[in-house]
Amino acid sequence: MAEEKKNSVKELTVKKLRERGVKPRPEVVEMSKEQRKIIKQIKDCLKEGAKTIPEIASATGLRPGVVTWYVMTLVKYGELSPGEEVDGYYKYSLAKKEG
Amino acid sequence: MDIKPEYDVLIIGGGYAGMEASLTIADAGFEVLLVEKEPSIGGHLIQISKVFPTTDCAGCITTPKMAAVPKHPKIKLLTYTEVKNVEKIGKKFRVKLVKKPRYVIEEECIGCGRCEEVCPVLVPKEFEYGLIGRKAAYIPFEMASPKKALIDLDNCIMCGRCERACPKDAINFLDEPKEIDVTVGAIVVATGYNLFSPELKKEYGYTGNLTRIHDNENPNIIHAFQFERLLAPSCPYHTVCLRPGDGKIPERIAFVLCTGSRDKSLGNPICSRVCCMYSIKQALLYTSAIPYGEATIYYMDIRAFGKGFEEFYNMVKELGVRFVKGKVAKIETNENGNPVVVAENFETGEIEREEYDMVILSVGLLPNGSKEIAKILGVETDPYGWIAQPDVNGNPAKTSVEGIFVAGTATGPMDLPDSIALADAAVSQCIAYLKEVKD
């Protein structure tokens, strides 16, 4: 926290880069928005309780392959937790935040 | 950067052969400059679960060398750096390198991963062949060497969160490519191999590419290096061997050998020499991980030519892996998302259709930019684009240019023991050359 505060008073190099006219690619900005939407859909659906990937796909309307990609990524980054295995599929839930 | 103006040897490529050559030449007392175009050394071997036929842990073979290289007093390691020009002047080579911008000050970065935690953008992770995502600010993989972050500016939304979160003020968005000029006495090319892109074999239904699986319409048709990651202890998922299509534990899988090798129609008529054995090994690892799982291997010939290979093949066959001698005509995906293999069985003469949970395409190997590096170095390539060995029987590591040697799979597909043997041949020939030139 203290480190973040220290940095906030320093002029960011990313700001200087933007001032030089370098901008993010519009398709990346769009992709990032889409990603946030998908992650929210998945997390909202898991608020009701643990689900398998086909169950998440069915609840959100997303393709199961897309759900797998996001769920496995979110597990890797500690945002979702794998649970019990039922009939060949694991169930996933929102990770409990530490502290 | 503490770069000297002159080194005894430049090694191009930090995969296993390049690391082996660097360490051995440096141990002999020569100053080595090792250049790797990726952000970490380790090559393909660090992505592999186990090696055949011993099933030794590949990471256990690779990581000691990945740790030793940056610490060696006689080796200077430059990652994320490419060779742009080489000019032979007398007995020496004048080399121009370009170090690509990481947007992270390497000397300051402590590899804590805070930048990655706060970055909001997901990008298919190269190390996992796209099976999961990484962030735009990222460390390439857990065991990366050097374990330093970098920013993928192409996929960055420039929100500045990484820069605010970095406890060492190591993020620098104003970083630029740096040109480096050095003189070296000899060069060892260890640029390794690339994978055949399976989407080129359209009838096999692989609709992603090597890194983007999340927009793949047939995600249960994967390539063997993706499966290698799914089997590895450091796998991208929370447990080994779940299928990418829906996270199911696959109960029936099939391997299709010679995908993109021994295939004139795809411009790669040569045998990739490792696909048979890595598939047999993967079938063994799969049936070990999922004891009730059934594995089938579709093959034209099994080429088990190396030491212990035939015994390994027979053992896996006896353990119940099914081998079908035949040619796969096409792979379809049915309404359940399961791949269906349509193949001619050479033994029965019948066309068979079989449904699986997952199909693995055993892809062939292709040169990794060796045509480009050969052009820069002025060395010859063979008709398939690999670095040519003009005296393969007498001096296998010699290239067509005196003072430039070749190691590992830059010369063509080969397994790990052969790759190490050629790396060590390059070492001895290179050292002999340096001594001869000096005298």
Side-chain angles (χ1 to χ4, degrees):
Chain A
M1 193 68 184
E3 294 290 352
E4 282 183 31
K5 201 167 180 181
K6 183 191 83 183
N7 276 304
S8 67
V9 294
K10 179 195 111 172
E11 194 174 2
L12 298 176
T13 59
V14 70
K15 197 179 157 207
K16 288 184 187 167
L17 188 68
R18 279 175 173 273
E19 283 166 5
R20 289 181 186 181
V22 180
K23 299 269 185 291
R25 291 191 297 140
E27 59 268 38
V28 172
V29 176
E30 276 311 303
M31 178 186 79
S32 171
K33 281 183 194 160
E34 178 69 13
Q35 288 176 347
R36 282 198 289 270
K37 204 173 112 190
I38 293 174
I39 291 169
K40 188 174 182 308
Q41 275 181 285
I42 292 172
K43 285 185 171 178
D44 282 350
C45 139
L46 291 176
K47 282 179 186 164
E48 300 158 13
K51 286 186 172 59
T52 63
I53 287 169
E55 287 167 348
I56 299 170
S58 167
T60 58
L62 295 164
R63 284 211 314 258
V66 172
V67 176
T68 309
W69 194 82
Y70 279 93
V71 165
M72 296 303 176
T73 302
L74 293 171
V75 168
K76 213 63 178 178
Y77 282 109
E79 294 187 41
L80 300 184
S81 303
E84 58 172 344
E85 181 229 310
V86 181
D87 295 334
Y89 290 94
Y90 284 88
K91 284 187 177 277
Y92 299 89
S93 56
L94 296 170
K96 288 188 179 72
K97 299 278 178 202
E98 282 177 29
Chain B
M1 276 188 296
D2 53 336
I3 311 277
K4 293 178 189 170
E6 193 160 342
Y7 290 86
D8 294 313
V9 185
L10 167 69
I11 313 270
I12 307 171
Y16 198 82
M19 292 192 296
E20 167 77 10
S22 299
L23 287 165
T24 316
I25 292 174
D27 283 345
F30 295 93
E31 294 282 346
V32 172
L33 176 63
L34 171 58
V35 168
E36 166 57 51
K37 71 175 175 169
E38 299 296 334
S40 169
I41 53 173
H44 287 286
L45 193 61
I46 190 63
Q47 292 172 284
I48 286 170
S49 54
K50 292 178 190 293
V51 297
F52 60 78
T54 57
T55 64
D56 288 330
C57 159
C60 308
I61 299 168
T62 324
T63 47
K65 290 204 192 291
M66 289 172 69
V69 163
K71 287 182 191 156
H72 200 294
K74 294 268 182 194
I75 299 176
K76 177 64 192 172
L77 170 64
L78 287 177
T79 52
Y80 220 39
T81 301
E82 292 188 11
V83 178
K84 287 294 167 193
N85 192 45
V86 174
E87 195 183 346
K88 192 165 188 190
I89 296 169
K91 295 281 183 190
K92 298 207 169 182
F93 298 89
R94 192 176 290 163
V95 181
K96 187 175 285 298
L97 307 167
V98 174
K99 187 159 175 58
K100 295 177 275 186
R102 270 182 183 260
Y103 306 102
V104 169
I105 304 162
E106 268 185 67
E107 295 76 16
E108 295 295 327
C109 177
I110 52 171
C112 66
R114 280 290 292 139
C115 54
E116 187 163 0
E117 269 173 55
V118 297
C119 176
V121 185
L122 290 174
V123 182
K125 185 169 181 168
E126 294 85 352
F127 185 76
E128 307 292 2
Y129 297 103
L131 288 163
I132 58 168
R134 60 156 170 86
K135 302 292 185 68
Y138 69 108
I139 292 171
F141 51 98
E142 191 56 36
M143 295 86 74
S145 176
K147 195 171 179 184
K148 306 282 182 187
L150 69 156
I151 312 270
D152 171 1
L153 201 60
D154 253 8
N155 286 301
C156 175
I157 58 167
M158 298 185 191
C159 63
R161 289 186 205 185
C162 55
E163 196 168 2
R164 281 188 286 271
C166 178
K168 300 294 285 181
D169 284 349
I171 310 285
N172 176 17
F173 276 91
L174 304 177
D175 197 6
E176 286 184 343
K178 290 177 188 73
E179 284 197 353
I180 300 161
D181 294 304
V182 289
T183 301
V184 299
I187 297 173
V188 176
V189 186
T191 46
Y193 62 88
N194 240 332
L195 305 181
F196 170 77
S197 295
E199 69 264 37
L200 296 175
K201 187 85 180 167
K202 292 194 185 332
E203 54 273 38
Y204 285 0
Y206 184 92
T207 50
N209 62 34
L210 287 173
T211 56
R212 297 184 74 88
I213 197 158
H214 69 300
D215 56 5
N216 184 347
E217 288 187 6
N218 302 323
N220 296 319
I221 301 170
I222 63 173
H223 66 72
F225 283 69
Q226 289 172 321
F227 195 50
E228 196 72 44
R229 292 302 306 142
L230 292 179
L231 291 166
S234 61
C235 64
Y237 299 168
H238 54 92
T239 185
V240 292
C241 210
L242 302 177
R243 69 176 189 173
D246 57 4
K248 186 188 176 199
I249 300 170
E251 294 180 16
R252 294 191 82 221
I253 67 167
F255 296 84
V256 179
L257 304 197
C258 300
T259 303
S261 48
R262 301 176 68 192
D263 193 335
K264 273 188 188 167
S265 69
L266 294 167
N268 191 31
I270 62 170
C271 168
S272 284
R273 300 186 78 218
V274 290
C275 314
C276 291
M277 294 310 295
Y278 76 54
S279 303
I280 292 170
K281 175 207 70 182
Q282 289 185 348
L284 174 69
L285 297 179
Y286 163 73
T287 51
S288 306
I290 301 167
Y292 54 87
E294 293 172 22
T296 299
I297 295 180
Y298 291 91
Y299 70 100
M300 293 198 284
D301 308 288
I302 293 294
R303 296 188 165 174
F305 54 83
K307 189 177 177 186
F309 289 9
E310 185 74 16
E311 292 85 347
F312 186 68
Y313 164 45
N314 287 330
M315 179 195 75
V316 171
K317 209 158 47 169
E318 280 167 23
L319 285 171
V321 171
R322 188 168 70 113
F323 287 79
V324 176
K325 188 174 175 66
K327 178 74 183 159
V328 173
K330 61 178 171 179
I331 305 169
E332 298 163 346
T333 294
N334 69 13
E335 63 284 0
N336 303 322
N338 290 337
V340 177
V341 173
V342 183
E344 182 191 357
N345 185 323
F346 290 164
E347 278 159 2
T348 63
E350 300 289 318
I351 304 293
E352 296 173 355
R353 294 174 63 91
E354 286 209 52
E355 182 179 345
Y356 296 94
D357 287 336
M358 191 158 76
V359 169
I360 296 104
L361 304 176
S362 300
V363 288
L365 310 186
L366 299 173
N368 180 24
S370 48
K371 267 189 185 164
E372 293 75 20
I373 198 74
K375 201 174 166 192
I376 290 169
L377 296 170
V379 299
E380 288 170 11
T381 56
D382 71 14
Y384 312 108
W386 303 92
I387 302 288
Q389 298 160 282
D391 185 14
V392 67
N393 296 318
N395 293 292
K398 273 182 89 167
T399 67
S400 57
V401 174
E402 198 186 16
I404 301 182
F405 303 89
V406 64
T409 49
T411 60
M414 65 182 69
D415 60 18
L416 181 62
D418 286 355
S419 182
I420 297 169
L422 188 52
D424 288 334
V427 167
S428 57
Q429 289 174 353
C430 180
I431 290 175
Y433 170 80
L434 287 171
K435 290 197 167 171
E436 187 189 310
V437 170
K438 204 177 174 186
D439 297 340

